[in-house]
Short mmCIF file of all heavy atoms in Angstrom, two decimals:
data_model
loop_
_atom_site.label_atom_id
_atom_site.label_comp_id
_atom_site.label_asym_id
_atom_site.label_seq_id
_atom_site.Cartn_x
_atom_site.Cartn_y
_atom_site.Cartn_z
N ASN A 15 20.19 -60.82 -17.20
CA ASN A 15 20.21 -60.16 -15.92
C ASN A 15 19.17 -59.04 -15.86
O ASN A 15 19.27 -58.13 -15.04
CB ASN A 15 21.61 -59.61 -15.62
CG ASN A 15 21.99 -58.47 -16.56
OD1 ASN A 15 21.44 -58.34 -17.64
ND2 ASN A 15 22.92 -57.63 -16.14
N ILE A 125 37.04 -58.05 -6.63
CA ILE A 125 37.53 -57.23 -5.55
C ILE A 125 38.38 -56.08 -6.12
O ILE A 125 39.40 -56.32 -6.72
CB ILE A 125 38.35 -58.03 -4.55
CG1 ILE A 125 37.59 -59.28 -4.10
CG2 ILE A 125 38.76 -57.17 -3.36
CD1 ILE A 125 36.28 -59.00 -3.42
N ALA A 164 19.66 -71.10 2.67
CA ALA A 164 19.68 -72.35 3.44
C ALA A 164 19.52 -72.10 4.94
O ALA A 164 19.10 -73.00 5.67
CB ALA A 164 21.01 -73.09 3.17
N GLN A 193 20.83 -35.48 -10.48
CA GLN A 193 21.22 -35.09 -11.83
C GLN A 193 20.80 -33.65 -12.12
O GLN A 193 21.59 -32.84 -12.58
CB GLN A 193 20.61 -36.04 -12.85
CG GLN A 193 21.16 -37.46 -12.80
CD GLN A 193 20.49 -38.35 -13.84
OE1 GLN A 193 20.35 -37.98 -14.99
NE2 GLN A 193 20.07 -39.55 -13.44
N LEU A 216 32.14 -20.19 -0.74
CA LEU A 216 32.61 -18.95 -0.18
C LEU A 216 32.08 -17.74 -0.95
O LEU A 216 31.73 -16.71 -0.35
CB LEU A 216 34.13 -18.93 -0.19
CG LEU A 216 34.82 -19.89 0.80
CD1 LEU A 216 36.32 -19.97 0.53
CD2 LEU A 216 34.54 -19.53 2.24
N VAL A 274 2.26 -29.36 25.92
CA VAL A 274 2.23 -30.52 26.83
C VAL A 274 2.06 -29.98 28.27
O VAL A 274 2.77 -29.04 28.66
CB VAL A 274 3.53 -31.35 26.74
CG1 VAL A 274 3.46 -32.56 27.69
CG2 VAL A 274 3.75 -31.83 25.30
N ASP A 305 -4.38 -19.75 24.72
CA ASP A 305 -5.33 -18.88 25.45
C ASP A 305 -6.55 -18.59 24.56
O ASP A 305 -7.70 -18.61 25.06
CB ASP A 305 -4.67 -17.57 25.86
CG ASP A 305 -3.65 -17.79 27.00
OD1 ASP A 305 -3.85 -18.71 27.81
OD2 ASP A 305 -2.67 -17.02 27.06
N LEU A 395 23.61 -32.20 30.79
CA LEU A 395 24.54 -32.74 31.75
C LEU A 395 25.88 -33.07 31.09
O LEU A 395 26.95 -32.78 31.62
CB LEU A 395 23.97 -34.02 32.39
CG LEU A 395 22.73 -33.82 33.30
CD1 LEU A 395 22.19 -35.17 33.75
CD2 LEU A 395 23.08 -32.95 34.49
N ALA A 479 47.27 -27.72 -1.22
CA ALA A 479 48.47 -27.73 -2.05
C ALA A 479 48.73 -26.36 -2.65
O ALA A 479 49.88 -25.85 -2.67
CB ALA A 479 48.33 -28.78 -3.15
N PRO A 503 44.78 -36.36 19.52
CA PRO A 503 44.99 -35.96 20.93
C PRO A 503 43.67 -35.65 21.62
O PRO A 503 43.54 -35.90 22.83
CB PRO A 503 45.88 -34.72 20.83
CG PRO A 503 46.62 -34.91 19.52
CD PRO A 503 45.61 -35.54 18.61
N ASN A 522 29.31 -37.85 13.24
CA ASN A 522 29.27 -36.97 14.41
C ASN A 522 30.40 -35.95 14.40
O ASN A 522 30.73 -35.36 15.41
CB ASN A 522 29.36 -37.78 15.70
CG ASN A 522 28.06 -38.53 15.98
OD1 ASN A 522 27.03 -38.28 15.40
ND2 ASN A 522 28.13 -39.49 16.90
N PHE A 536 34.99 -29.87 15.39
CA PHE A 536 33.88 -29.93 16.33
C PHE A 536 33.30 -31.35 16.34
O PHE A 536 33.16 -32.00 15.31
CB PHE A 536 32.76 -28.97 15.91
CG PHE A 536 33.10 -27.51 16.18
CD1 PHE A 536 33.75 -26.78 15.21
CD2 PHE A 536 32.79 -26.93 17.39
CE1 PHE A 536 34.06 -25.44 15.44
CE2 PHE A 536 33.13 -25.59 17.64
CZ PHE A 536 33.77 -24.87 16.64
N GLY A 542 25.54 -41.66 21.81
CA GLY A 542 26.23 -42.93 21.66
C GLY A 542 27.55 -42.99 22.40
O GLY A 542 28.26 -44.02 22.29
N GLU A 548 34.84 -44.69 36.46
CA GLU A 548 35.96 -44.69 37.39
C GLU A 548 36.99 -43.59 37.06
O GLU A 548 37.48 -42.92 37.94
CB GLU A 548 36.64 -46.07 37.37
CG GLU A 548 37.82 -46.19 38.29
CD GLU A 548 38.47 -47.55 38.21
OE1 GLU A 548 37.72 -48.55 38.12
OE2 GLU A 548 39.72 -47.66 38.19
N ASN A 584 36.01 -46.32 11.45
CA ASN A 584 35.03 -45.60 10.65
C ASN A 584 35.54 -44.28 10.15
O ASN A 584 35.47 -43.96 8.96
CB ASN A 584 33.76 -45.39 11.49
CG ASN A 584 32.66 -44.66 10.76
OD1 ASN A 584 32.85 -43.54 10.27
ND2 ASN A 584 31.48 -45.22 10.72
N GLU A 613 51.24 -42.36 19.89
CA GLU A 613 52.35 -42.54 20.84
C GLU A 613 52.75 -41.19 21.47
O GLU A 613 53.00 -41.12 22.70
CB GLU A 613 53.55 -43.15 20.13
CG GLU A 613 53.38 -44.62 19.73
CD GLU A 613 53.56 -45.55 20.90
OE1 GLU A 613 53.52 -45.12 22.07
OE2 GLU A 613 53.78 -46.76 20.65
#
Side-chain angles (χ1 to χ4, degrees):
N15 67 337
I125 309 300
Q193 294 181 45
L216 290 172
V274 181
D305 288 331
L395 293 174
N522 288 346
F536 287 90
E548 179 181 320
N584 179 305
E613 289 282 17

